[in-house]
Amino acid sequence: MLLDDLRNLRKTVASESILFSYRGEITQELMVYFLRIVDKKLIGSKESPLIRRRILNIMIESLQNAVKHARDWYNESEIEPENEAIFLLSRRDDKYLLINGNAVKNDVKPFIERKIENINSLSSDKQRKLFRNIIKYGVYGSKGGAGLGFVDMARKSGDLINFDFEEIDEKYSYFTYLITLDRNSIPEPDLTPKPNTVSTV
């Protein structure tokens, strides 16, 4: 998946491959509802428990990020339809694609870029060590996170995080990212202790 394609994903993904999609404000209550819907669909398709857990865990991290960043956007701005938050889960052959898009403040854009680029540059072992260090030493940085959510998504998927920013105005940009989970190359389960709460960037 090319980065240039990300800007058009929310408009061009084939409907027959979509398992779940949503456009609009994402709240904690809706997040719980989305997870229930997706879990039922995965159970109905007889997906393995391991794949189901991976998808739901990535969804939690992704949606939690959207909830966190959406608060400022929806409180401060008049939302154009094309700039509303999106979440989309589709299946293409043996790969699940999780696509998330939401507005973020321009002042956090460099922070997000640096974190994802760093995560993408690490081996799976180094990602695991980074995850443990963040848990051990605490979170920091803009929006109360240290990139823990993105580290966990990369670890769960075993693939790179593809992402893109498109400027909306002088204060906000639209942040889109894609997580790919290949059913045939799922990373081994990791027994690293989990934090009590989901962290966001």
Side-chain angles (χ1 to χ4, degrees), residues 10-159:
R10 61 187 186 270
K11 303 173 184 175
T12 61
V13 175
S15 61
E16 63 268 20
S17 69
I18 295 175
L19 298 176
F20 179 81
S21 66
Y22 175 82
R23 179 191 294 274
E25 184 175 6
I26 298 175
T27 64
Q28 290 283 0
E29 292 76 16
L30 283 175
M31 187 176 79
V32 174
Y33 178 62
F34 296 165
L35 291 166
R36 288 174 181 168
I37 292 175
V38 170
D39 195 30
K40 285 182 179 179
K41 287 194 173 186
L42 293 173
I43 291 172
S45 67
K46 303 187 186 304
E47 187 54 88
S48 72
L50 175 60
I51 302 294
R52 279 171 45 215
R53 285 196 301 271
R54 293 292 169 102
I55 291 172
L56 294 175
N57 285 340
I58 293 171
M59 276 188 67
I60 290 171
E61 299 288 1
S62 181
L63 292 171
Q64 191 70 38
N65 277 323
V67 169
K68 189 76 171 180
H69 288 288
R71 291 170 187 166
D72 293 336
W73 174 238
Y74 280 90
N75 288 337
E76 296 180 3
S77 305
E78 183 176 342
I79 311 302
E80 297 294 333
E82 66 268 21
N83 293 328
E84 290 184 318
I86 62 162
F87 179 82
L88 187 147
L89 172 66
S90 66
R91 180 169 175 176
R92 184 177 301 163
D93 299 324
D94 277 339
K95 292 184 179 181
Y96 286 98
L97 308 178
L98 295 97
I99 301 155
N100 197 96
N102 56 269
V104 297
K105 286 187 173 181
N106 288 331
D107 60 2
V108 304
K109 176 183 170 183
F111 174 83
I112 296 173
E113 287 180 316
R114 287 195 304 270
K115 289 298 177 184
I116 297 180
E117 287 170 356
N118 179 57
I119 292 165
N120 283 342
S121 72
L122 301 177
S123 66
S124 58
D125 286 341
K126 289 184 178 180
Q127 287 177 353
R128 187 178 300 112
K129 290 178 182 177
L130 175 61
F131 185 83
R132 290 172 176 169
N133 284 339
I134 293 172
I135 293 174
K136 182 177 180 179
Y137 297 111
V139 297
Y140 62 90
S142 180
K143 287 291 176 186
L148 182 64
F150 282 121
V151 178
D152 204 29
M153 284 189 276
R155 290 168 61 248
K156 290 290 191 303
S157 70
D159 204 350

Side-chain angles (χ1 to χ4, degrees), residues 147-169:
L148 182 64
F150 282 121
V151 178
D152 204 29
M153 284 189 276
R155 290 168 61 248
K156 290 290 191 303
S157 70
D159 204 350
L160 299 178
I161 300 172
N162 289 283
F163 69 99
D164 186 44
F165 289 91
E166 185 174 6
E167 186 173 310
I168 297 172
D169 54 33

